[in-house]
Amino acid sequence: MKTIAVLGSTGSVGVTTLDVVSRFPGQFRIGAMAAGRNVELLANQVRRFSPELVSVADSEVARALKALLGGHKVEILTGLDGAIAVATYAGAKLVVSAMVGALGLRPTLRAIEAGKDIAFANKEVLVVAGEVVTRAAQIHGVRLLPVDSEHNALFQCIEGRKRAEVKRIILTASGGPFRTLPLDRFAGVTVADALKHPTWQMGAKITIDSATLMNKGLEVIEARWLFGLDAPQISVIIHPQSIIHSMVEMIDGSVLAEMAIPDMAIPVAYALAFPERLPMDHLRPLSLVECGNLTFEEPDFGRFPCLRLAYEALRAGGTMPACLNAANEELVAGFLAKKLRFVEIPRHIETVMGRHHGRPARSLEDVLETDSWARAATQELMAA
Ligand SMILES: NC(=O)c1ccc[n+]([C@@H]2O[C@H](COP(=O)([O-])OP(=O)(O)OC[C@H]3O[C@@H](n4cnc5c(N)ncnc54)[C@H](OP(=O)(O)O)[C@@H]3O)[C@@H](O)[C@H]2O)c1
């Protein structure tokens, strides 16, 4: 029986994780979970999975949860300390890191320091502090198991092979809802338009990131840290059907690909059970005949400047990816709150990156300082 702690249990990845767990009651148990404010869903999850410990955003949410749970026995904690307690829950062997944004950094890092393997969905953590996180994982002998479907695909292709035999990786991208939108129509994009992802059902932040292609940019940086590659070894290709989840080109010219229907249950199950595989018989099988054509295009860096900016941040290294991420988080929140236009997201990120004096990102303090500087600089731009 593997005991699991889930950071972000009420989110899209969290819900998928609990669904997979519920299908294999003899193999997994939920020991602890952290969520933000979705108290009704969390109360249902607590009743269903009976964790010993839960954490919520603040004491007001904790009171609401307690009231909903009545006499149900569970320890309820709050805030960052609560999320860290969940991340370091003594009984857990594996922590699913599925909070959204840089918020997940400290809990995830503390889980690693406590020797927990990480099922990694919260990509911003690796973007912001890739060096700190991967070094901690090495020191503490912890496995970083990718949940992001692309990195999970790459992990499946690369696992057990010599790194020197990998020539490059090719991350696939659906292209998002604006793949074919003419450049002159981007100015009129609304929040509702941007939230309509063609192939994946996900949380709001990642859905907007998919529409700007920042999500792919963040994944490029995530791949750099998960697989120890340099920017020129990481390519992106648009594949609108989302059937090939990514590819690895080996030095002999062979290209390995992982294919599956676009359903996060598959990479989640792989990460939960690694190195075993779980029978996912409830999912419809992949039929390539039904898919018809699998098509591929080069990404358009002109219409999607966020992807270019992410490559620039990766090449600059140090604290620049943390700056890119913080600016993006603030701008996406601003866009969702209808405080700025879609096209202003990349424009403001570029301005903030231009103002940032990058430096090495060797410690948590280095990246946290950059994170708060870049958020303040972005807020100032939005207010102007
Ligand atoms: N969704 C996908 O299919 C997918 C695929 C690949 C990678 N990812 C990555 O996985 C991460 C999660 O994505 P998602 O789509 O699942 O996001 P989401 O649906 O927005 O869920 C985010 C989770 O974080 C929780 N949270 C927010 N504030 C919190 C706080 N202060 N303390 C504790 N928890 C807090 C939320 O709780 P409440 O809702 O209760 O407030 C929710 O459980 C992101 O980094 C994303 O890039 C997602």
Side-chain angles (χ1 to χ4, degrees), residues 19-41:
D19 182 63
V20 173
V21 164
S22 71
R23 290 173 192 278
F24 300 94
Q27 292 187 51
F28 305 111
R29 190 182 82 81
I30 300 294
M33 44 202 195
R37 320 198 80 90
N38 189 344
V39 73
E40 279 84 15
L41 178 55

Side-chain angles (χ1 to χ4, degrees), residues 61-79:
V61 185
R63 269 194 298 279
L65 179 66
K66 224 175 258 173
L68 280 173
L69 286 174
H72 192 102
K73 220 179 127 227
V74 59
E75 185 180 357
I76 303 174
L77 301 176
T78 59

Side-chain angles (χ1 to χ4, degrees), residues 236-256:
V236 171
I237 195 168
I238 304 295
H239 167 46
Q241 297 80 17
S242 300
I243 295 297
I244 295 183
H245 296 298
S246 278
M247 295 175 259
V248 181
E249 184 179 334
M250 310 303 286
I251 49 174
D252 63 0
S254 300
V255 177
L256 310 180

Side-chain angles (χ1 to χ4, degrees), residues 8-14 34-39 55-57 83 97-101 103 121-124 147-149 200-206 215 264:
S9 66
T10 50
S12 165
V13 172
R37 320 198 80 90
N38 189 344
V39 73
S55 171
V56 290
S97 172
M99 279 160 67
V100 63
L103 191 67
N122 191 178
K123 67 191 81 182
E124 294 90 346
V147 166
D148 221 343
S149 58
W200 295 99
Q201 289 294 319
M202 307 180 287
K205 194 262 176 181
I206 184 176
N215 183 49
M264 283 302 293

